[in-house]
């Protein structure tokens, strides 16, 4: 441990820690949340929905399988960094080509270990997600406290501009096959436009696997252009992706989504997209105390009564009174929050959890096929 540079952490509740750094040498401010997944740390840290956040892993041993080119959800790490108990610098995996520390350094993200992550997780459960600062440059509580005080809060920042694609592109890769060590090719039937608010690669692969031809477009779309293309039968439906931050920050996107809804275009949405749909329909989202982050969250499908274990990554939720215009199809069994909606006034379905589960269980992956069935009816 003495070979690693010292790092210092200060939380806005006054907690102060000294630990060690195995990632980029930096000073960064972000919101700290905890993740309960036992595996899949590379997919988690490359999920654009973590932009502006520090991820505290409740799993104590991290780094064992290294990193590889396949298990990434985006081209970068948008999270500020990760906090872990034990770091395993020596990795063992036939696909790995970098250690986790090398991967973090390459993407200029912080990695901090030697900290009591159990204490951090229990604190976040009790007090809620909060802002924090981590540094390999400043060592005093007073310096860190002052920098944190002067920094904007995560809900004040629009991270969508950073994580979204700048140009439209077509995604053609399906699921990864370990037999061929390659990605399956699409069997296209219907075409959809995927609006990128921070879309994960595994979502795009599941859309392709469900039979869709997928065109990805940037977050700053214009509804008028999309409506013209829909009327010309250039595509069959729209997908609203996951993404980081407070959905209420995206005022322009909410207005544009309202126009899409008014034209009765079929829409399928996950996570942030699910929240944006609620706001576009006039229903206020709210922030959860510490959110849902991990690959072991139980939900109930209220239509089939079956229990599904799901992957989740969100800290905002939609309100109960949205049941006036939508049928609640899924509920979280931890806290009863809404996980799925089927709108009554339009061909729209949306889900708070991640059916693509990158990483996590695939018990909800059939939702991609359900949207395909919805399009067949329109």
């Amino acid at each position: 441990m003495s070979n690693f540079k010292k790092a210092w952490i200060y939380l806005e509740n006054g907690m102060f820690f000294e630990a060690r750094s195995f990632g980029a040498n930096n000073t960064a401010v972000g919101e700290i949340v905890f993740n309960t997944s036992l595996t899949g740390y590379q997919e988690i840290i490359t999920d654009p929905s973590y932009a502006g956040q520090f991820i505290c892993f409740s799993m104590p041993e991290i780094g064992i399988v290294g990193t590889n080119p396949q298990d990434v959800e985006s081209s970068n790490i948008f999270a500020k960094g990760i906090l872990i108990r034990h770091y395993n610098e020596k990795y063992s995996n036939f696909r790995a080509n970098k250690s986790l520390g090398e991967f973090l350094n390459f993407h200029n993200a912080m990695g901090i270990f030697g900290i009591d992550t159990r204490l951090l997780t229990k604190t976040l459960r009790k007090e809620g997600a909060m802002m924090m600062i981590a540094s390999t440059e400043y060592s005093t509580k007073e310096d860190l406290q002052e920098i944190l005080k002067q920094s904007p809060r995560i809900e004040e920042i629009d991270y969508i501009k950073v994580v979204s694609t700048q140009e439209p592109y077509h995604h053609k890769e399906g699921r990864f096959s370990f037999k061929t060590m390659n990605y399956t090719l699409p069997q296209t039937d219907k075409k959809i436009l995927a609006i990128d608010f921070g879309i994960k690669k595994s979502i795009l692969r599941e859309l392709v696997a469900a039979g869709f031809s997928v065109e990805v477009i940037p977050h700053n779309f214009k509804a008028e252009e999309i409506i013209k293309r829909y009327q010309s039968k250039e595509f069959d439906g729209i997908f609203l992706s996951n993404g980081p931050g407070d959905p209420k920050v995206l005022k322009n996107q909410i207005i544009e989504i309202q126009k899409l809804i008014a034209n009765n275009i079929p829409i399928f949405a996950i996570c942030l997209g699910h929240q944006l749909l609620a706001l576009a329909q006039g229903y206020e989202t709210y922030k959860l105390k510490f959110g849902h982050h991990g690959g072991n969250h139980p939900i109930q499908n209220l239509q089939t009564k079956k229990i599904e274990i799901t992957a989740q990554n969100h800290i905002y939720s939609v309100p109960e009174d949205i049941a006036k215009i939508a049928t609640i199809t899924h509920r979280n069994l931890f806290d009863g929050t809404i996980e799925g909606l089927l709108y009554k006034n339009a061909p729209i379905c949306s889900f708070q959890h991640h059916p693509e589960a990158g990483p996590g269980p695939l018990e909800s992956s059939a939702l991609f096929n359900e949207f395909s069935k919805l399009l067949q009816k329109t």
Side-chain angles (χ1 to χ4, degrees), residues 233-250:
K233 301 186 183 301
E234 292 184 31
F235 68 93
D236 302 284
I238 291 172
F239 175 75
L240 303 180
S241 85
N242 63 296
D246 188 341
K248 293 180 183 177
V249 171
L250 307 178

Side-chain angles (χ1 to χ4, degrees), residues 152-206:
R153 300 186 65 83
I154 190 170
E155 55 267 22
E156 300 170 357
I157 305 172
D158 180 1
Y159 281 106
I160 306 301
K161 298 175 183 178
V162 179
V163 301
S164 176
T165 182
Q166 300 303 307
E167 298 291 337
Y169 66 94
H170 291 270
H171 179 86
K172 298 181 179 180
E173 293 178 342
R175 297 183 184 127
F176 187 76
S177 170
F178 286 98
K179 290 184 178 179
T180 63
M181 294 301 291
N182 212 330
Y183 295 96
T184 57
L185 298 176
Q187 301 294 318
T188 58
D189 180 34
K190 294 284 186 176
K191 180 175 181 179
I192 62 170
L193 293 184
I195 300 175
D196 180 11
F197 301 119
I199 199 163
K200 295 170 63 179
K201 288 186 177 182
S202 58
I203 288 179
L204 293 172
R205 291 167 187 152
E206 287 297 325

